[in-house]
């Protein structure tokens, strides 16, 4: 069985062919789809999709990019949405210190508050982390036990192991296929010439995939 655990079918990019995309994924063998809410509007649309299709489920969340405008009223609305049928997780939530579309000092309290919501409803969380590994981990640790998937994994082997030690799932996405900048080349252990591709921090995400147990891996 294949479950696509992280779709954004509510995004305007799908306005022209949303229905076809959904039908095509079914034809190709996707049994279930989890559509991820990353804004208030997106969370509402996610629930709408889940109402329309029996094989689609929803999550509701406020992406760290939303943090500067996520006031208490917005969080209260989200909390009501979280109690609707077919909402299976809170997310995506987390920290993004790479794009910094919202201030880190606003991102952290929002992340903590939404983790609290997840715990009060006994729901797992979908974590977005970009260049914020240390703060992400310390906030998650304050809220254990919690079930989480660290979505679109980026980071190094140490961070991967810390996530696995906490019992989290890890998801790798298309970024493992990106032709990242070539920083190193040499021979692999079998003696073949091998071009090793690494990201700008020197991490080869494909190697981290191999270190992730299959029962902890989402795609
Ligand atoms: Zn996402």
């Amino acid at each position: 069985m294949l479950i696509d655990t992280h779709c954004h079918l509510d995004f305007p990019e799908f306005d022209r062919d949303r229905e076809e995309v959904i039908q095509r994924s079914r034809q190709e063998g996707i049994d279930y789809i989890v559509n991820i809410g990353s804004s208030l509007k997106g969370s509402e649309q996610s629930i709408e999709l889940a109402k329309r299709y029996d094989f689609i489920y929803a999550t509701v969340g406020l992406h760290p990019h939303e943090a500067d405008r996520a006031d208490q009223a917005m969080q209260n609305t989200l909390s009501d949405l979280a109690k609707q049928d077919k909402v299976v997780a809170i997310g995506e939530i987390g920290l993004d210190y790479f794009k910094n579309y919202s201030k880190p000092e606003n991102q952290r309290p929002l992340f903590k508050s939404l983790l609290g919501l997840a715990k009060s409803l006994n729901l797992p969380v979908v974590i977005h982390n970009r260049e914020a590994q240390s703060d992400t981990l310390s906030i998650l640790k304050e809220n254990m036990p919690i079930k989480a998937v660290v979505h679109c994994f980026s980071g190094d082997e140490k961070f991967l192991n810390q996530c696995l030690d906490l019992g989290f799932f890890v998801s790798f996405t298309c970024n493992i296929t990106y032709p990242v900048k070539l920083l190193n080349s040499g021979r692999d252990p079998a003696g073949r010439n091998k071009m090793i591709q690494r990201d700008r921090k020197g991490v080869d995400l494909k190697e981290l995939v191999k270190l992730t147990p299959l029962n902890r891996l989402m795609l």
Side-chain angles (χ1 to χ4, degrees), residues 106-150:
N106 290 339
Q107 293 183 33
R108 288 186 288 267
L110 177 67
F111 183 30
K112 288 179 193 180
S113 156
L114 296 178
L115 277 176
L117 173 66
K119 283 183 76 83
S120 72
L121 298 173
N122 201 21
L123 287 173
V125 292
V126 181
I127 302 294
H128 172 98
N129 155 67
R130 197 117 186 248
E131 313 242 321
Q133 285 83 311
S134 158
D135 283 359
T136 299
L137 269 180
S138 64
I139 290 171
L140 284 167
K141 278 183 184 165
E142 287 164 16
N143 284 280
M144 295 304 286
I146 196 147
K147 278 190 192 162
V149 55
V150 182

Side-chain angles (χ1 to χ4, degrees), residues 6-8 11 36 38 63 92 126 128 151:
H6 200 107
C7 281
H8 289 291
F11 280 10
I36 305 290
S38 56
H63 196 280
E92 53 194 291
V126 181
H128 172 98
H151 152 69

Side-chain angles (χ1 to χ4, degrees), residues 19-64:
E19 178 64 28
E20 290 131 76
V21 169
I22 291 170
Q23 294 312 331
R24 204 159 59 230
S25 72
R26 292 285 282 175
Q27 284 155 16
E28 296 297 330
I30 303 289
D31 296 288
Y32 293 99
I33 290 171
V34 182
N35 200 77
I36 305 290
S38 56
S39 64
L40 202 52
K41 187 162 166 258
S43 298
E44 285 164 352
Q45 290 171 328
S46 203
I47 292 171
E48 284 308 310
L49 280 166
K51 282 184 182 158
R52 209 174 317 142
Y53 300 91
D54 60 351
F55 52 87
I56 297 185
Y57 287 77
T59 75
V60 302
L62 297 171
H63 196 280

